């Protein structure tokens, strides 16, 4: 090789070596969400900003971040970029036990089948498991889901199996419940009371006792008492500040509604909020009525937390998903940023998981990119009544721990024509179960 041609060769080799070393430094971010309107209530962010992710964590949030620094770009212009949503009341202890309702039964749903498509990265199961079967819930669901699944442990040891199993005060043990919580702190984040219809306060008081020992809140699904027990006494005597009444806009048999027959929010309900009791939507299949929600919100009584009460009975009825429930509350007058807070920083604070519900640098990168559609929409309540609305949220992209787990329009995906030609699938994969075996 002539000497004069060596220099370009050396330069070329040096360039290759440099390029080899460069990518990590030149493209430190795995994902950059660009040009979206960031709403991050905890960090006081409300405006157009870029969000960069690296190593599964939020790496930078700034007015403008150079697109060349990221391997993957998500164009979020015209969209809202918010912390991954937290559902404080869902039912995901799915299983196949006969007659087991929401505790390893078929009425509960699988987390990943429902969470990401509506921007949710954390689902809190509300009382599916009790202290006896929590480990089954953890092994089968919590540990196998990409969604972060947390638990409000039922005060009933065997969990939410429905029927007589939920009526036995002998299976409501405060000490054993507290023991299970303390051994799983941060995953079990509260205690649930539900479906009890005898005329005493045993489950509420045992739950509060366990909650005091384990330093977690109690959520109460109240009702089914004939005659009804006093809602005033529940909210202002039995519950502590930080405890939660779910199904706030319900009017179920055996429970007083929060809006009385004169159309007024009961003064004792307003007093309970003043002393720190939390009011949660918990929409579900039978717990959200326009006849409660409309007068309550007209009087300024909006939810602290917006949740679904997701299960097979609610998802195909008026509830649908968290974005539909949030859209309902927004069409009643709650500003978008308050609805985001009610699904991010507020539930995180209630369950004492301050690492969740915000986009602080260094936190796990759970992010939802949402569209706010404007148009002529309809929303159905638990009685089947329709209310019209002009705005509706839709989820474009969900990121969980830095991974894109939902992408409605392929915003985080490269153009197909740039993809390498690689045969898909592998003979090493097991045969599909629905194909006949040869
Ligand atoms: Zn529920």
């Amino acid at each position: 090789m002539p000497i004069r041609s060596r220099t370009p060769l050396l330069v070329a080799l040096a360039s290759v070596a440099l390029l080899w070393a460069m990518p990590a430094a030149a493209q430190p971010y795995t994902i950059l969400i660009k040009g979206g309107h960031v709403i991050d209530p905890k960090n006081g962010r409300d405006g157009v900003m870029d969000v960069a992710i690296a190593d599964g964590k939020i790496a930078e949030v700034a007015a403008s971040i150079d697109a060349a620094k990221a391997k993957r770009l998500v164009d979020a212009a015209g969209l809202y970029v918010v912390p991954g949503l937290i559902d404080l009341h869902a039912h995901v202890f799915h299983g196949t036990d006969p007659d087991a309702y929401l505790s390893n039964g078929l009425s509960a749903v699988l987390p990943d089948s429902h969470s990401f498509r509506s921007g949710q990265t954390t689902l809190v199961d509300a009382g599916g498991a009790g202290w006896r079967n929590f480990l089954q819930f953890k092994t089968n669901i919590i540990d196998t889901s990409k969604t972060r699944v947390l638990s409000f442990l039922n005060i009933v040891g065997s969990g939410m199996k429905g029927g007589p199993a939920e009526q036995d005060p002998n299976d409501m043990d405060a000490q054993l419940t507290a023991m299970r919580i303390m051994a799983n702190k941060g995953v079990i984040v509260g205690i649930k009371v539900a479906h009890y219809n005898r005329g005493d306060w045993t489950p509420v008081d045992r739950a509060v006792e366990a909650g005091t020992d384990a330093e977690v809140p109690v959520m109460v699904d109240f009702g089914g008492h004939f005659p009804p027990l006093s809602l005033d006494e529940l909210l202002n005597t039995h519950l502590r500040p930080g405890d939660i009444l779910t199904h706030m806009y319900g009017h179920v048999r055996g429970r007083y509604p929060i809006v009385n027959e004169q159309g007024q929010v009961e003064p004792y309900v307003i007093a309970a909020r003043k002393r720190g009791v939390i009011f949660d939507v918990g929409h579900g299949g039978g717990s959200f009525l326009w006849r409660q929600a409309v007068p309550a919100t007209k009087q300024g009584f909006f939810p602290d937390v917006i949740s679904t009460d997701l299960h097979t009975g609610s998802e195909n009825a008026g509830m649908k998903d968290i974005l539909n429930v949030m859209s309902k509350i927004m069409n009643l007058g709650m500003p978008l940023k308050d609805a985001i807070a009610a699904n991010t920083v507020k539930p995180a604070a209630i369950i004492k998981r301050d690492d969740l519900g915000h986009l602080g640098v260094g936190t796990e990168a759970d992010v939802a990119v949402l569209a706010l559609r404007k148009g002529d929409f309809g929303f159905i309540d638990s009685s089947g009544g329709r209310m019209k609305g002009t705005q509706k949220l839709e989820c474009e992209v969900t990121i969980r721990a830095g991974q894109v787990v939902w992408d409605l329009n392929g915003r985080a995906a490269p153009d197909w024509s740039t993809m390498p030609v690689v045969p898909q699938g592998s003979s090493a994969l097991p045969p599909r179960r629905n194909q006949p075996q040869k």
Side-chain angles (χ1 to χ4, degrees):
M1 187 179 282
I3 288 173
R4 66 177 179 274
S5 68
R6 268 191 201 156
T7 307
L9 179 67
L10 285 173
V11 169
L13 284 171
S15 301
V16 169
L18 193 62
L19 279 173
W20 180 265
M22 269 182 68
Q27 293 185 312
Y29 302 139
T30 45
I31 299 175
L32 177 62
I33 307 169
K34 197 144 185 64
H37 184 133
V38 173
I39 299 179
D40 178 11
K42 183 168 184 178
N43 292 303
R45 295 178 180 128
D46 185 4
V48 174
M49 278 175 233
D50 295 348
V51 177
I53 294 167
D55 300 323
K57 296 193 162 62
I58 302 294
E60 187 182 355
V61 181
S64 182
I65 301 172
D66 185 359
K69 285 179 157 180
K71 296 181 180 75
R72 203 168 175 186
L73 204 63
V74 178
D75 178 6
L79 303 174
Y80 290 94
V81 179
V82 306
L85 303 179
I86 301 168
D87 194 343
L88 196 67
H89 185 161
H91 292 285
V92 292
F93 188 3
H94 176 80
T96 55
D97 271 1
D99 199 27
Y101 192 38
L102 297 167
S103 187
N104 200 38
L106 287 158
S107 296
V109 301
L110 283 169
D112 296 351
S113 303
H114 297 265
S115 53
F116 301 140
R117 58 187 51 235
S118 46
Q120 295 175 311
T121 50
T122 300
L123 300 183
V124 183
D125 181 86
W131 72 265
R132 292 179 192 277
N133 58 356
F134 173 74
L135 296 183
Q136 182 184 34
F137 179 43
K138 184 170 185 301
T139 302
N140 290 0
I141 303 294
I142 294 175
D143 294 348
T144 62
S145 299
K146 280 189 186 172
T147 310
R148 182 187 297 97
V149 178
L150 305 175
S151 166
F152 269 58
L153 206 61
N154 205 307
I155 190 60
V156 179
S158 58
M160 199 173 280
K161 293 202 180 292
E166 293 189 66
Q167 306 302 324
D168 180 8
N170 296 315
D171 197 25
M172 299 172 186
D173 192 307
Q175 281 187 326
L176 299 181
T177 301
M179 277 177 69
R180 192 62 96 196
I181 296 168
M182 285 188 276
N184 296 274
K185 218 50 196 293
V187 177
I188 305 177
V189 292
I191 302 169
K192 180 79 184 286
V193 174
H195 306 160
Y196 187 71
N197 55 28
R198 300 166 85 170
D200 58 84
W201 296 93
T202 304
V204 172
D205 292 343
R206 298 257 173 93
V208 168
E209 185 187 340
T212 302
D213 281 356
E215 298 178 315
V216 295
V218 169
M219 175 188 279
V220 180
D221 163 356
F222 208 51
H225 303 288
F226 302 98
L229 289 176
S230 164
L231 188 61
D232 183 0
E233 201 179 330
L234 172 74
L235 297 174
N236 291 306
T237 307
H238 292 268
L239 295 186
R240 307 160 296 170
D243 289 336
I244 306 142
L245 180 77
T246 190
H247 306 317
M248 64 182 290
Y249 296 135
H251 186 179
V252 296
R253 278 175 295 163
R255 192 202 99 185
Y256 294 108
I258 64 167
V259 175
N260 60 26
E261 287 177 6
Q262 290 72 45
Q264 299 298 309
V265 177
E266 293 281 11
Y268 66 77
V269 168
I270 294 167
R273 169 167 278 176
K274 280 203 181 111
R275 66 181 282 268
V277 171
I278 308 292
F279 289 84
D280 167 45
V281 172
H283 190 302
S287 302
F288 184 94
L289 291 178
W290 295 125
R291 288 197 186 280
Q292 286 288 308
V294 170
T297 51
K298 274 192 178 151
Q299 290 161 57
F301 204 83
F302 282 89
D304 296 300
V305 183
I306 302 173
S307 70
T308 58
D309 191 9
L310 170 70
H311 51 70
T312 57
S314 65
E315 62 181 331
N316 294 318
M319 189 283 286
K320 296 182 175 66
D321 62 26
I322 190 65
L323 297 178
N324 189 61
V325 182
M326 289 165 72
S327 300
K328 286 181 170 182
I329 305 298
M330 286 164 56
N331 280 295
L332 290 171
M334 181 181 268
L336 173 63
K337 69 178 169 48
D338 292 353
I340 299 300
N343 282 271
T344 55
V345 63
K346 285 194 178 178
I350 290 164
I351 61 176
K352 300 175 185 172
R353 285 290 305 260
D354 292 336
D355 55 320
L356 305 180
H358 64 97
L359 300 175
V361 170
T363 58
E364 201 155 56
D366 289 1
V367 187
V369 181
L370 306 177
L372 183 58
R373 308 281 180 219
K374 298 291 171 83
D376 182 16
F377 304 109
F379 301 92
I380 307 165
D381 76 358
S382 302
S383 69
R386 180 176 192 243
M387 193 187 83
K388 289 178 73 166
T390 58
Q391 49 183 344
K392 192 172 201 175
L393 288 166
E394 189 173 87
C395 183
E396 284 280 347
V397 178
T398 304
I399 294 170
R400 165 81 183 99
Q403 303 285 318
V404 175
V405 288
W406 171 256
D407 190 354
L408 185 65
N409 285 297
R411 287 174 179 273
D415 187 88
W416 68 271
S417 64
T418 67
M419 300 296 287
V421 180
V422 179
Q424 297 291 291
S426 162
S427 59
L429 290 173
R432 288 170 58 180
R433 278 186 218 160
N434 58 359
Q435 287 175 339
Q437 304 292 313
K438 287 182 181 167

